[in-house]
Amino acid sequence: MTDTIWRPDLAQFPGPKYLALARALRDAIRAGRLKPGAQLPTVRDLAWTLSVTPGTVSRAYQLATQEGLLAATVGRGTFVAAAEPRLGPTQELFVERDPQEAPGLLDLRSPQLPDVGQMPLFSAALKRVAEGLGGDWRDYPTQREEAALRAAVRDWLADRVLGPIAPEDIALTHGGQSAIGLVMLCCLRGDRPVVLTEELAYPGFRHAARLARAEVVGVELDQHGLRPDALEACCRKHGPQVLCVTTEAQNPTAARMPEERRAEIVAIARRHELQIIEDDCYTVAESTLPALRALAPERTWYVGSLSKTVSAALRFGYILCPTGRGEAGRLTAQHAFFALGRPVSDLCLDLFQSGQAAEIRHRVQSAFADRLQAVVNGLGSHELSWQPGLPFVWLRLPVGWRTSSFTRTAESEGVLLRSADEYALVHGRSPNGVRLAIAGQVPRARLEAAVDRLSRLLASPPSELPV
């Protein structure tokens, strides 16, 4: 229970009860009856007080959180954050830690591409582009000029089971996150559409959805990924328009969805007229399983990029749109940024056509595989999930450790990790686990030493809980 006593009269607000409660929250905060820093009742406590369902309170809290009026922390509760809605996204601006400020820390929060000779290859490609410069770089780029690059992307994806692909089905973007945002703009309708994500998912899904004024609802996972029964229940309850899912390399759990489960997900999506965003940015080295794009080409938007295999600095991504919907994807991109900048598009086209992009990808995956083996060897006695070729692993913590205390202790030992909380929705479940990304830019011996420190921590959980 909390000391905050607040019982709004929802009868004075017309419309659905969750919207009435959200408006009551706004009015109480602006009037000063709920002051910044005040802790709100739990979802269940307020639902009991107002004789409404917990889902009603949860949706109202989520709306106010998205507006910046409330702040929620997993395990602590929901608090009043501000008296006025904040403009733009409400999460903090990401600022990368300066290695000079803490030179002893090893950052395993995000994968770092290893140096496999990219820079000399990029330099040579830029020289070829400059020597053969065609067209006019003074005017705006156009979608028409990207035709050859779209064809090169189709060839890049030839080793995946994606169904028939035409270059006209492809839209090019400024990285994978840009692609996700463009699909949201293509597909979402109405004032408050609903987007489904996995209950633990890449945070970029929910950030893109919120920028599109959508409500985000999490769907439960099991060891095979998204649970069909939970998806069906969410569709019946919320009437969603878009489902975001990762089939090959679920982030952060590293799960791979079996073919039978993929077919079940597709059947539910068809039954409820769901559009699907299939994220394959963390692609595995080899796959013979059909992507959702192959199973449901009429509704699946397959998203990928070069960030995890060639270069994150290029900011190059792509959308394999549903069959016949490529023009819609490209038109949305045109309204957003006309087309890719000519330096990026010309460089990427050279890297694809010369075969150097494929060569870099092979070298990067080989280097990651070598370092992944070091991580698995060091932590293999613990509950670890991983896949060959992936630049991260999922670690379930043993009894005695909590995610928050383990990440803090690991940082004191010089290792930065990403906790499960960072992948969970505001009011979602957060399991006791952490993700370790592969550091490709440090000597392997340093990575092994960090893994050894983590292994020793896992074997010695704290004997007492702080009070």
Side-chain angles (χ1 to χ4, degrees):
M1 295 293 290
T2 166
D3 293 332
T4 302
I5 299 174
W6 181 63
R7 182 168 184 166
D9 179 12
L10 302 186
Q12 62 181 309
F13 303 110
K17 288 184 178 180
Y18 79 95
L19 290 178
L21 180 54
R23 185 173 174 184
L25 277 166
R26 294 188 198 103
D27 288 356
I29 292 171
R30 290 170 182 168
R33 294 190 296 274
L34 290 175
K35 299 184 181 300
Q39 183 175 5
L40 291 178
T42 67
V43 168
R44 292 190 178 278
D45 285 344
L46 188 56
W48 175 266
T49 299
L50 300 179
S51 298
V52 298
T53 67
T56 295
V57 177
S58 180
R59 293 183 75 180
Y61 276 10
Q62 192 170 45
L63 286 175
T65 300
Q66 291 168 2
E67 293 175 12
L69 296 174
L70 302 181
T73 303
V74 176
R76 292 188 60 232
T78 302
F79 299 82
V80 178
E84 293 293 334
R86 174 177 171 175
L87 299 179
T90 56
Q91 71 275 9
E92 294 183 2
L93 181 67
F94 173 74
V95 179
E96 186 175 358
R97 185 187 293 262
D98 185 353
Q100 301 302 320
E101 295 179 0
L105 285 176
L106 179 58
D107 194 341
L108 301 184
R109 294 174 300 178
S110 297
Q112 303 165 356
L113 287 184
D115 182 356
V116 295
Q118 291 99 321
M119 292 311 299
L121 295 179
F122 291 163
S123 179
L126 286 169
K127 184 177 181 181
R128 289 192 297 270
V129 168
E131 291 173 346
L133 199 60
D136 191 341
W137 279 22
R138 294 175 299 174
D139 206 350
Y140 289 104
T142 67
Q143 297 281 329
R144 176 179 52 81
E145 294 168 337
E146 295 179 343
L149 185 51
R150 292 197 299 271
V153 169
R154 178 195 57 186
D155 296 339
W156 174 258
L157 297 171
D159 64 334
R160 303 287 146 170
V161 184
L162 298 170
I165 307 173
E168 293 75 24
D169 294 329
I170 296 172
L172 304 179
T173 68
H174 294 291
Q177 183 64 26
S178 170
I180 292 169
L182 283 177
V183 177
M184 299 280 186
L185 293 176
C186 270
C187 298
L188 296 177
R189 310 172 304 282
D191 294 333
R192 181 57 67 175
V194 173
V195 170
L196 302 182
T197 71
E198 297 140 322
E199 64 177 347
L200 289 182
Y202 165 56
F205 284 142
R206 62 178 182 264
H207 296 331
R210 288 169 182 168
L211 283 175
R213 303 297 188 266
E215 181 180 351
V216 184
V217 175
V219 184
E220 291 181 36
L221 299 169
D222 62 17
Q223 71 273 23
H224 299 304
L226 206 67
R227 280 179 43 189
D229 61 332
L231 175 60
E232 178 73 34
C234 282
C235 288
R236 292 180 181 275
K237 181 177 181 180
H238 299 287
Q241 297 177 15
V242 171
L243 167 66
C244 302
V245 63
T246 308
T247 54
E248 288 292 324
Q250 206 282 330
N251 184 16
T253 67
R256 191 177 199 181
M257 187 181 290
E259 186 171 351
E260 298 79 5
R261 175 70 59 88
R262 300 182 190 206
E264 291 181 88
I265 299 300
V266 163
I268 295 170
R270 284 182 172 140
R271 191 155 57 245
H272 293 278
E273 289 299 329
L274 272 178
Q275 296 292 306
I276 302 171
I277 299 178
E278 183 176 16
D279 177 16
D280 197 30
C281 290
Y282 273 119
T283 186
V284 295
E286 297 180 357
S287 177
T288 58
L289 295 179
L292 298 183
R293 175 57 171 71
L295 299 175
E298 81 286 356
R299 65 183 63 252
T300 302
W301 306 73
Y302 177 92
V303 169
S305 78
L306 300 185
S307 297
K308 308 300 189 297
T309 54
V310 177
S311 169
L314 289 177
R315 306 312 308 136
F316 179 83
Y318 46 84
I319 308 167
L320 179 52
C321 304
T323 303
R325 299 289 298 275
E327 184 175 351
R330 293 196 301 279
L331 184 60
T332 305
Q334 180 176 298
H335 284 302
F337 51 80
F338 293 101
L340 294 181
R342 286 292 302 275
V344 171
S345 62
D346 286 3
L347 173 59
C348 289
L349 180 60
D350 181 276
L351 292 172
F352 282 130
Q353 292 183 336
S354 68
Q356 289 183 342
E359 177 61 26
I360 293 171
R361 175 174 62 179
H362 174 72
R363 294 181 190 176
V364 166
Q365 289 175 338
S366 296
F368 271 144
D370 177 69
R371 288 167 182 257
L372 176 63
Q373 183 178 8
V375 173
V376 174
N377 287 345
L379 299 175
S381 61
H382 303 283
E383 196 172 351
L384 202 66
S385 297
W386 57 280
Q387 286 193 58
L390 277 193
F392 67 87
V393 301
W394 173 246
L395 173 64
R396 294 168 183 83
L397 300 179
V399 174
W401 278 114
R402 302 296 296 173
T403 304
S404 57
S405 58
F406 185 77
T407 53
R408 287 196 303 269
T409 307
E411 182 170 358
S412 71
E413 291 285 329
V415 185
L416 297 175
L417 305 171
R418 207 173 281 286
S419 75
D421 293 350
E422 298 185 51
Y423 299 91
L425 296 175
V426 169
H427 295 293
R429 299 186 305 171
S430 180
N432 213 28
V434 295
R435 194 192 78 164
L436 287 76
I438 305 299
Q441 298 177 7
V442 299
R444 174 172 166 154
R446 186 180 175 196
L447 175 62
E448 290 175 329
V451 169
D452 182 64
R453 291 198 296 274
L454 293 177
S455 182
R456 286 188 279 106
L457 286 179
L458 291 167
S460 304
S463 58
E464 296 182 359
L465 293 176
V467 293

